[in-house]
Amino acid sequence: MEWTDIGIVLGTRRHGEANAILELMTREHGRHLGLVRGGAGSRLKPVLQAGNTVSATWRARLDEHLGHFVVEGIDLRAAALLPAAHAVYGVTHLAALCRLLPERDPHESVFELLDAALGRLGDPAAVAVLVARFELTLLAELGFGLDLSTCAATGELLDLVYVSPKSGRAVSRAAGAPWHDRLLALPAFFGADGGPQPSADDLAAAFALTGFFLDRHLYAPHGTALPDARAQFIVAVTRAIAKVA
């Protein structure tokens, strides 16, 4: 068995004296692990840092085997991310979210959004939007997508400003007014057209919305809480946006 694909490094763990088990999010083969010979050595260690993009060739005798990776760096962005707290927390958080996906299950839309988010880590406002969208997309890929296209009560397409915490469906301003204190806010940039440049309140609402459903569907059922890296990313990126503004 052999294939070559583009992958984003999610993490590594040492295997023996010189080797490493590499975990990638690949475009066509999903989240995939493999052994990298010499992966713990000085030549490859900088290439195998979380957040880097690599070209990876995987080989194994049988498909169910761990197999071996041969990798070549494409975009070694990890070193440049270290000075920015929101970037470090962002990489950690995104990698953790990818680990919620079944191994070797292709999710090209997740790969594309992950690549886009990592590419904009130097722009706090842009990456905050992309991470929120990544969380929304991940929920959908795992079968817990929100229906934000029409009002759950009236079928209206316009002025959708709430989300029902029970159904995960959008609710219009008029229909939701009597129960507004029980509904989640729907930021405009989650709409089909992307909406205007989000404010700090919009971003807070977006992360509150995705956090609610991530917790309900993916963490609480396993008796775990939302990861600390997520909260740290939100705090750090909010501060970074405020400094730029």
Side-chain angles (χ1 to χ4, degrees):
M1 302 293 298
E2 178 176 335
W3 50 257
T4 298
D5 201 353
I6 302 299
I8 295 170
V9 178
L10 301 180
T12 60
R13 65 178 185 268
R14 198 180 187 98
H15 185 78
E17 288 296 319
N19 303 325
I21 302 295
L22 171 64
E23 182 179 28
L24 295 177
M25 185 66 201
T26 67
R27 175 178 278 122
E28 297 179 5
H29 298 83
R31 185 173 65 87
H32 210 291
L33 280 72
L35 178 72
V36 179
R37 299 192 186 281
S42 58
R43 184 180 69 85
L44 284 176
K45 197 170 183 179
V47 177
L48 304 184
Q49 296 300 306
N52 284 345
T53 300
V54 300
S55 173
T57 297
W58 180 82
R59 298 185 181 95
R61 190 170 65 84
L62 297 175
D63 186 58
E64 60 267 25
H65 288 176
L66 173 65
H68 296 80
F69 276 132
V70 176
V71 299
E72 181 179 347
I74 295 176
D75 186 351
L76 305 186
R77 58 170 74 91
L81 304 179
L82 293 177
H86 76 271
V88 175
Y89 289 132
V91 171
T92 302
H93 173 48
L94 290 167
L97 287 175
C98 287
R99 292 188 182 102
L100 298 174
L101 296 167
E103 190 181 350
R104 305 188 182 192
D105 190 9
H107 292 274
E108 190 166 348
S109 60
V110 172
F111 174 88
E112 297 297 344
L113 262 179
L114 176 63
D115 187 50
L118 292 173
R120 299 299 299 275
L121 278 167
D123 183 341
V127 78
V129 170
L130 287 167
V131 170
R133 286 192 172 278
F134 184 92
E135 293 183 342
L136 198 65
T137 298
L138 188 81
L139 283 164
E141 290 291 306
L142 290 171
F144 304 109
L146 308 185
D147 182 355
L148 307 179
S149 59
T150 61
C151 175
T154 66
E156 293 179 15
L157 301 175
L158 302 177
D159 205 23
L160 305 176
V161 299
Y162 302 113
V163 175
S164 165
K166 291 184 178 180
S167 67
R169 296 187 62 190
V171 181
S172 69
R173 189 185 308 275
W179 301 278
H180 68 91
D181 57 336
R182 302 179 190 177
L183 301 173
L184 298 163
L186 173 59
F189 74 88
F190 270 174
D193 60 358
Q197 181 68 21
S199 65
D201 288 344
D202 292 330
L203 290 172
F207 284 116
L209 176 63
T210 55
F212 177 86
F213 288 102
L214 284 170
D215 181 59
R216 169 188 279 181
H217 295 302
L218 303 179
Y219 289 98
H222 300 285
T224 58
L226 289 168
D228 288 342
R230 182 180 190 270
Q232 292 165 334
F233 167 75
I234 294 170
V235 170
V237 81
T238 301
R239 287 176 179 167
I241 292 170
K243 286 181 181 179
V244 173

